[in-house]
Amino acid sequence: SGADAELTTASVIPAPNIASSAALAAALREEPTIQQVLKQASGVEHAIVGIGTPATDATIVQLGYLTAAEVRALRERGVVGDILGQFFDADGKVADLPIHDRRIGLELSDLKCVPKVIGVAGGLHKVRAILGALHGGFLDVLVTNELAAIRLLELDR
């Protein structure tokens, strides 16, 4: 047919998602290999992102990036979810949190430059986080399950 197949490669940031300190994160972000991967990531045409919740059994707690007490404090501040390790409230406003200074990765604002951002999250426990992500305009497409979709439509009314 003469059509060229597009070759897709994956790159991994050679660093933790969240460093132990803001100073270490800043130093790692200066590393040329990390800058190269972040530059590549911000130039993609499609991004698939997960939507997390501030729950004591969340992956971010299991990996040791946050304690259960820190997660409870996030909820008390009105945080409903996170994408790429950046936490936001029900209106989709990114919270001003010290943990964000320890992150190594794309910013949620960088996602605005990606033509198609696909969010993946399901379950009734994720509905508030999904809704916050939609209110923030972080997603172009949502992949979820039927129960979550029905609840999202009910809340949107």
Side-chain angles (χ1 to χ4, degrees), residues 118-136:
I118 303 156
V120 180
L124 292 176
H125 67 290
K126 295 264 182 137
V127 168
R128 291 184 63 215
I130 295 168
L131 200 54
L134 293 171
H135 286 160

Side-chain angles (χ1 to χ4, degrees), residues 29-147:
R29 284 191 294 268
E30 294 299 315
E31 284 295 313
T33 53
I34 291 174
Q35 288 183 350
Q36 179 184 1
V37 174
L38 291 175
K39 183 179 178 189
Q40 285 175 340
S42 63
V44 299
E45 291 187 27
H46 298 85
I48 300 173
V49 298
I51 303 166
T53 58
T56 54
D57 62 347
T59 303
I60 201 163
V61 175
Q62 292 173 4
L63 293 174
Y65 294 137
L66 285 177
T67 66
E70 288 170 321
V71 167
R72 284 189 290 276
L74 289 176
R75 284 198 308 262
E76 288 169 8
R77 288 189 59 174
V79 167
V80 297
D82 80 283
I83 295 174
L84 302 175
Q86 277 200 300
F87 293 89
F88 51 85
D89 65 17
D91 295 324
K93 183 174 180 247
V94 177
D96 184 16
L97 301 169
I99 191 171
H100 291 166
D101 296 332
R102 295 172 34 212
R103 286 182 58 261
I104 302 165
L106 289 181
E107 303 289 321
L108 279 174
S109 58
D110 295 330
L111 285 182
K112 305 274 186 202
C113 300
V114 176
K116 180 103 38 207
V117 178
I118 303 156
V120 180
L124 292 176
H125 67 290
K126 295 264 182 137
V127 168
R128 291 184 63 215
I130 295 168
L131 200 54
L134 293 171
H135 286 160
F138 305 131
L139 310 176
D140 299 301
V141 175
L142 173 64
V143 178
T144 192
N145 65 321
E146 184 178 8
L147 282 177

